[in-house]
Amino acid sequence: MSSHHFVKEQQEPALLILDTKDVSYDSIAPLLEWVPTVMVAQDEVFAVISWGIKLDLILAEMDFQKNNYRLLEEQYPVKFLGVKDGAFLEEALQYLVATKHSAVNIIGYDHLHVFELQEKLNFLDIVIIDGQMRYYPVKSGKFKKWFPETSIQLHAPEGTLLEVITTEGASITEVKYATMIDLPEGIVEFKGKEIFWIGEMLNQQ
């Protein structure tokens, strides 16, 4: 059965598009495979429509809603989700939690602000796509994964100590701004005392 026959049941990660700068359709097409709930901030609506993506919710302030009411017909069954004072991210996350979504991929969010999402991680699995990097949190403080030979970014409050165990041995990394580390191919284990984020290049997914 092809994916478009499935009824949405909030099981697949929703897709929240806040900014399309430095993002191509090809980079997010894999996220659309299982027909997720698609939410778009008002300033990106026409760019996303031009990609041929079907929208579910447009995060919009009142003026935008009034001036673009025809979108409700043209993109039916799209709906507006009202936003005040530019709080697109906050409204979107509140909606996703209220509608029992379990996960969301956020496009166009500055990864330097991921720690502002900490509280929402209790309710949602969040992945950030910022430019050509994909960031995901390690909530438990421990994470193990197979990597190709690559470079990744570790993101945590400045001065955080993380243990990185590779096929070549264990080392302690002190996280500073944009801490990049090189990994050999194989299973890599990360250990830390607090939540931290790992950034990978999209093209190695």
Side-chain angles (χ1 to χ4, degrees):
M1 184 184 286
S2 63
S3 61
H4 64 268
H5 289 140
F6 286 103
V7 175
K8 294 180 187 181
E9 294 179 344
Q10 285 78 34
Q11 298 306 308
E12 291 302 318
L15 181 61
L16 170 57
I17 302 175
L18 297 173
D19 193 340
T20 57
K21 190 178 126 206
D22 299 327
V23 177
S24 66
Y25 171 77
D26 289 342
S27 67
I28 65 171
L31 304 177
L32 297 164
E33 185 176 347
W34 295 104
V35 198
T37 296
V38 178
M39 311 174 72
V40 182
Q42 62 184 35
D43 292 346
E44 304 302 328
V45 164
F46 299 105
V48 175
I49 288 174
S50 75
W51 289 343
I53 295 176
K54 195 73 178 162
L55 313 183
D56 294 291
L57 285 162
I58 297 172
L59 298 151
E61 296 180 325
M62 191 55 70
D63 284 348
F64 183 93
Q65 294 183 42
K66 288 177 181 173
N67 295 332
N68 295 278
Y69 198 75
R70 59 186 171 76
L71 285 171
L72 298 181
E73 280 187 22
E74 294 173 0
Q75 299 294 315
Y76 181 84
V78 74
K79 296 176 183 175
F80 286 130
L81 182 62
V83 173
K84 290 182 180 177
D85 303 321
F88 299 106
L89 175 68
E90 293 79 1
E91 287 294 339
L93 295 181
Q94 284 182 20
Y95 173 87
L96 292 172
V97 171
T99 51
K100 303 290 194 292
H101 283 75
S102 58
V104 59
N105 290 301
I106 303 177
I107 311 293
Y109 181 77
D110 187 343
H111 72 278
L112 295 178
H113 297 153
V114 293
F115 304 114
E116 296 170 19
L117 304 175
Q118 208 101 317
E119 189 181 312
K120 289 292 189 290
L121 292 177
N122 294 322
F123 307 100
L124 287 167
D125 289 325
I126 297 175
V127 172
I128 302 294
I129 294 175
D130 183 7
Q132 298 305 305
M133 297 286 286
R134 171 182 180 270
Y135 295 86
Y136 50 90
V138 178
K139 302 182 195 180
S140 65
K142 291 183 180 178
F143 181 68
K144 187 186 285 188
K145 179 184 173 182
W146 182 90
F147 286 87
E149 183 177 349
T150 187
S151 296
I152 64 163
Q153 184 176 344
L154 294 175
H155 197 40
E158 186 131 352
T160 298
L161 298 177
L162 299 176
E163 184 179 10
V164 182
I165 304 166
T166 71
T167 53
E168 296 175 352
S171 61
I172 300 293
T173 296
E174 181 179 353
V175 177
K176 298 186 177 170
Y177 172 72
T179 298
M180 301 292 294
I181 62 170
D182 297 325
L183 299 178
E185 180 179 334
I187 297 289
V188 182
E189 189 171 0
F190 303 86
K191 295 180 181 179
K193 293 183 177 177
E194 306 288 340
I195 292 174
F196 60 93
W197 294 68
I198 293 175
E200 301 180 29
M201 293 298 293
L202 281 174
N203 61 13
Q204 71 180 35
Q205 301 307 306

